[in-house]
Amino acid sequence: MGVDRITGETQDITAKISAHYVDNARNLPWRVPPKLSAKGTLPDPYHVWMSEVMLQQTTVAAVISYFQKFTQRWPTVADLAAANEADVLAAWAGLGYYARARNLHKCARHVTDNLGGVFPSEETELLKLPGVGAYTAAAIAAIAFGRRAVVVDANIERLVARIFQIDTPLPAGKADIRVGMDGLTPKNGAGDFAQACMDIGASICNAKTPKCEICPVQGHCAAYGDGDQMRYPVKPPKKAKPLRKARFFWIEQDEKLLLVTRPSKGMLGSMRALPDDNWAAGTDGHGQSPLDGNWRIHENIVQHSFTHFSLEVDLAVYQSDKIVINKGDNRKTKLDDALWWPISGIEDAGLPTLYAKAVRWAVKHKMKDHI
């Protein structure tokens, strides 16, 4: 069909989506209910910004507890700016895509130090903030400040592609989808309308089991009319993910585990982790151990999927009694920034999910005397 064939219907579609939101809006901790927002109440920009950063490539269900934890610990943007980056990264552990956490902290400092602790309200200015892209800038402008902005996340993308039967494969199809959403977005109440579309995309017009029978715009949906809604949005063929190999090193002494801080640049930057063999997205690890001594190798204890590759992890457990750390030696795997962490409190170390999986495996098998 295509967005060029939808003209007079758009107001009707917008009205029905908006009306559905009034009675069916999700209760989310960063959101102002539609009956209050209709009276002019807007949410805290700090809350909207934080939630939108957390929600990038992450589900609402996963984000809620992290949002509550962050806002309780750091109630204002100034509080977050004053925090230690290591504490922010540790609090983020498990949420994934850790560059978001570093940008969150960097942005909080920028807003506090350079903008007097006040978030800008215009998309063009929001785009200048660390970690804020086109979608996030539009969402903050619309939801937090009531600006008319065209907001397109994955849920909205799917909803609009189905309504207008947009068959241009992604990512090229994103341009047509944005045109469609632009045509639907009202002059006033763009924030609530965007959230209404998000809710319908998440709860009704979902990817696998759309509930078309209860959709408020079923009668306007071109894809539903042709019975091929599952085809949209049209995605390019999936590429096979390359498989990478890594080796982690378990070094224990007096019920404490040796951890390191990963380099600030690269994957999982500045996070605490087990020593490893410098694996990367583009290459396998070198496998060289960080200490001389006896090692027991446990193969393929963890399989972890990243966006563009999968990782298979071996765990090498140090078997020698004497532990001598020669910092700054010529080994590829260095322990210059090593620290000892009590195993009984390892959950407080804020390890990324990948390393936490390996630790859980080791603790479980240690109890069974298998390592």
Side-chain angles (χ1 to χ4, degrees):
M1 188 172 180
V3 295
D4 57 321
R5 293 183 58 185
I6 297 293
T7 53
E9 266 190 293
T10 55
Q11 289 184 349
D12 198 15
I13 294 171
T14 298
K16 288 178 179 178
I17 290 174
S18 298
H20 182 270
Y21 182 64
V22 172
D23 296 323
N24 299 279
R26 288 180 291 181
N27 182 18
L28 302 175
W30 50 83
R31 184 181 277 184
V32 169
K35 291 180 181 179
L36 289 180
S37 62
K39 297 178 181 179
T41 302
L42 293 173
D44 185 340
Y46 173 60
H47 289 178
V48 175
W49 161 73
M50 180 175 289
S51 67
E52 290 298 340
V53 173
M54 289 182 169
L55 285 164
Q56 294 167 9
Q57 298 178 288
T58 308
T59 65
V60 167
V63 164
I64 288 175
S65 63
Y66 281 88
F67 174 84
Q68 292 171 330
K69 175 172 63 175
F70 266 70
T71 52
Q72 288 169 5
R73 186 170 181 179
W74 300 295
T76 69
V77 68
D79 294 324
L80 183 59
N84 185 286
E85 184 186 67
D87 292 335
V88 174
L89 289 169
W92 190 278
L95 200 54
Y97 300 98
Y98 293 94
R100 295 180 299 167
R102 292 191 294 276
N103 280 329
L104 192 81
H105 190 236
K106 185 177 179 181
C107 184
R109 288 188 168 179
H110 176 80
V111 170
T112 300
D113 295 343
N114 302 314
L115 302 176
V118 178
F119 282 88
S121 62
E122 301 296 334
E123 284 183 82
T124 53
E125 296 303 311
L126 287 161
L127 280 167
K128 298 176 183 179
L129 301 180
V132 174
Y135 161 74
T136 305
I140 296 171
I143 298 169
F145 297 104
R147 301 286 191 264
R148 186 192 183 276
V150 181
V151 182
V152 183
D153 72 346
N155 284 315
I156 293 175
E157 189 173 84
R158 183 169 55 256
L159 174 66
V160 172
R162 287 173 174 172
I163 289 174
F164 297 131
Q165 215 170 19
I166 296 170
D167 55 11
T168 306
L170 300 177
K174 289 178 180 290
D176 286 341
I177 290 170
R178 191 182 191 284
V179 170
M181 186 60 177
D182 192 5
L184 293 173
T185 301
K187 182 178 180 180
N188 298 312
D192 270 6
F193 181 71
Q195 292 176 105
C197 291
M198 293 175 193
D199 282 9
I200 290 176
S203 61
I204 296 176
C205 192
N206 60 60
K208 295 182 179 179
T209 56
K211 302 177 179 65
C212 300
E213 66 280 1
I214 62 170
C215 180
V217 292
Q218 176 205 102
H220 302 279
C221 181
Y224 175 77
D226 282 352
D228 64 349
Q229 56 269 45
M230 296 302 294
R231 180 171 177 253
Y232 302 94
V234 181
K235 297 181 180 180
K238 284 188 176 182
K239 295 181 180 179
K241 288 184 180 182
L243 177 64
R244 304 298 178 205
K245 302 277 189 176
R247 179 166 292 175
F248 297 172
F249 300 98
W250 181 278
I251 304 169
E252 180 183 341
Q253 179 175 260
D254 299 328
E255 297 299 320
K256 294 181 179 180
L257 182 62
L258 193 71
L259 301 179
V260 296
T261 301
R262 292 180 59 77
S264 58
K265 294 183 179 181
M267 296 194 67
L268 310 179
S270 301
M271 300 291 290
R272 299 186 189 107
L274 296 172
D276 61 44
D277 61 351
N278 291 352
W279 62 275
T283 59
D284 293 343
H286 51 66
Q288 184 175 336
S289 61
L291 298 175
D292 293 325
N294 297 320
W295 295 87
R296 183 175 180 180
I297 309 299
H298 300 271
E299 296 183 347
N300 193 18
I301 66 152
V302 168
Q303 301 82 41
H304 192 79
S305 181
F306 291 95
T307 303
H308 300 298
F309 71 101
S310 296
L311 189 68
E312 186 177 282
V313 177
D314 296 343
L315 183 69
V317 179
Y318 197 60
Q319 303 290 301
S320 303
D321 293 331
K322 189 176 182 181
I323 298 175
V324 178
I325 298 176
N326 297 314
K327 295 188 176 182
D329 66 9
N330 294 322
R331 291 178 183 270
K332 292 182 180 179
T333 302
K334 293 185 178 181
L335 301 175
D336 292 343
D337 56 355
L339 65 152
W340 293 101
W341 199 280
I343 295 176
S344 61
I346 198 65
E347 65 278 0
D348 297 325
L351 301 179
T353 301
L354 169 62
Y355 292 88
K357 285 181 179 179
V359 168
R360 286 196 295 269
W361 184 93
V363 170
K364 176 181 177 181
H365 287 77
K366 179 186 177 185
M367 292 173 64
K368 296 179 180 180
D369 296 322
H370 289 171
I371 71 167

